[in-house]
């Protein structure tokens, strides 16, 4: 059994942060649990309701009898699972504000914008991620075709609208104006969208500046997302302001 478990709801941003921390702590292949939480525990996680050990199904409930040395949770569902494992004797680290008292974990890592304060709280400026010099070197090796594009290489990373950020037509026009200025200096433009990018914005990104060298990755139909290579070969990066994970 792995000495380190990752417990999350399976969302890519949560998994990425938890795995990055595990690997930084010397656990290159932590056991990952993508939790499917049953009601009513899903609604109130990470609060411990009666029979909470059964919130994630029989397999996880049985696994509590043989807990790992360390568990890293991310998100509210992961917070409930890591809390249960701590009660079973595991050292527990929670990533992101659990929305309840932090005393239920050995350490809580919450980005500065969460404004969470506590004796066991660590507050990085942004989200955790695996990107370092070695990661970038591997990405350059895996994506030599991007390095062959003319420089400077401008990378545009697109997310999707949220309550605080519209990402509407006016915003897109301002992005296009910026890209037009960058194109005047030659080079290439590389674009990657996310699952949250609305269809109209994908279409607009695919149609823009058709004669400019570069790459447009709009969805899975374009093959594997070259995101690591984009970061590794970028001379400048433009990120839509809707996601702390993307900006980090």
């Amino acid at each position: 059994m792995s000495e380190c478990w990752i417990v999350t709801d399976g969302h890519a941003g949560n998994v990425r942060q938890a795995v990055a921390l595990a690997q930084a702590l010397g656990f290159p292949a932590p056991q990952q649990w993508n939790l499917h939480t049953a009601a009513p525990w899903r609604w109130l996680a990470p609060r411990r309701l009666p029979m909470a050990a059964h919130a994630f199904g029989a397999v996880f409930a049985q696994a509590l009898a043989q807990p790992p040395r360390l568990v890293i949770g991310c998100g509210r569902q992961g917070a409930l699972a890591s809390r249960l494992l701590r009660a079973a004797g595991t050292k527990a680290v929670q990533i992101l504000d659990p929305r309840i008292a932090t005393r239920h974990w050995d350490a809580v890592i919450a980005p500065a914008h969460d404004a969470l304060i506590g004796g066991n709280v660590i507050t990085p400026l942004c989200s955790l991620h695996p990107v370092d010099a070695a990661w970038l070197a591997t990405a350059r090796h895996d994506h030599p075709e991007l390095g062959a594009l003319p420089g400077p290489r401008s990378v545009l990373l697109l997310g999707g609208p949220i309550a605080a950020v519209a990402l509407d037509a006016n915003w897109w026009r301002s992005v296009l104006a910026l890209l037009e200025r960058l194109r005047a200096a030659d080079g290439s433009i590389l674009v990657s969208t996310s699952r949250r990018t609305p269809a109209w914005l994908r279409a607009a990104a695919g149609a823009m500046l058709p004669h400019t060298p570069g790459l447009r990755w709009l969805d899975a139909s374009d093959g594997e997302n070259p995101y690591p290579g984009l970061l590794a070969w970028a001379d400048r990066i433009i990120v839509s302001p809707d996601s702390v994970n993307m900006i980090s």
Side-chain angles (χ1 to χ4, degrees):
M1 179 174 293
S2 172
E3 289 191 309
C4 177
W5 289 4
I6 300 299
V7 289
T8 74
D9 56 9
H11 289 170
N14 290 343
V15 173
R16 180 180 175 85
Q17 292 194 72
V19 170
L21 178 59
Q23 293 177 343
L25 292 174
F27 299 99
Q31 181 173 342
Q32 296 187 39
W33 292 83
N34 292 337
L35 305 170
H36 301 283
T37 318
W41 301 283
R42 180 176 67 251
W43 304 330
L44 296 176
R47 293 165 180 81
R48 286 184 63 178
L49 299 179
M51 304 293 289
H54 299 280
F56 308 110
V59 174
F60 188 85
Q62 293 169 3
L64 289 173
Q66 293 183 297
R69 185 155 61 98
L70 174 69
V71 62
I72 300 172
C74 190
R76 289 193 307 112
Q77 308 308 320
L80 175 57
S82 61
R83 186 179 176 187
L84 293 173
L85 283 160
R86 186 173 188 251
T90 298
K91 291 292 185 181
V93 178
Q94 166 63 18
I95 302 172
L96 302 181
D97 185 353
R99 306 295 181 182
I100 62 172
T102 63
R103 67 176 182 274
H104 300 296
W105 295 269
D106 294 288
V108 173
I109 301 173
H113 68 265
D114 279 350
L116 187 64
I117 298 174
N120 64 339
V121 176
I122 301 169
T123 55
L125 180 61
C126 295
S127 301
L128 304 183
H129 59 75
V131 180
D132 58 16
W135 189 95
L136 291 171
T138 298
R140 283 191 291 271
H141 177 271
D142 292 343
H143 296 275
E145 73 284 359
L146 301 182
L149 291 170
R153 289 174 287 272
S154 301
V155 169
L156 173 62
L157 303 178
L158 293 174
I162 58 175
V165 181
L167 296 192
D168 55 14
N170 287 333
W171 176 84
W172 178 241
R173 280 192 288 271
S174 69
V175 172
L176 281 179
L178 172 61
L179 294 175
E180 288 280 6
R181 293 197 298 273
L182 295 178
R183 186 180 65 163
D186 296 323
S188 51
I189 294 176
L190 302 87
V191 180
S192 177
T193 66
S194 78
R195 286 174 292 183
R196 298 179 296 104
T197 307
W200 74 265
L201 186 51
R202 292 178 192 272
M208 71 173 189
L209 307 178
H211 302 298
T212 302
L215 174 145
R216 309 288 187 270
W217 190 92
L218 305 179
D219 56 36
S221 67
D222 293 322
E224 184 179 356
N225 190 341
Y227 174 80
L230 299 183
L231 296 189
W233 287 107
D235 295 299
R236 49 201 174 200
I237 300 175
I238 305 149
V239 187
S240 60
D242 53 282
S243 168
V244 173
N245 284 347
M246 286 177 59
I247 294 172
S248 300

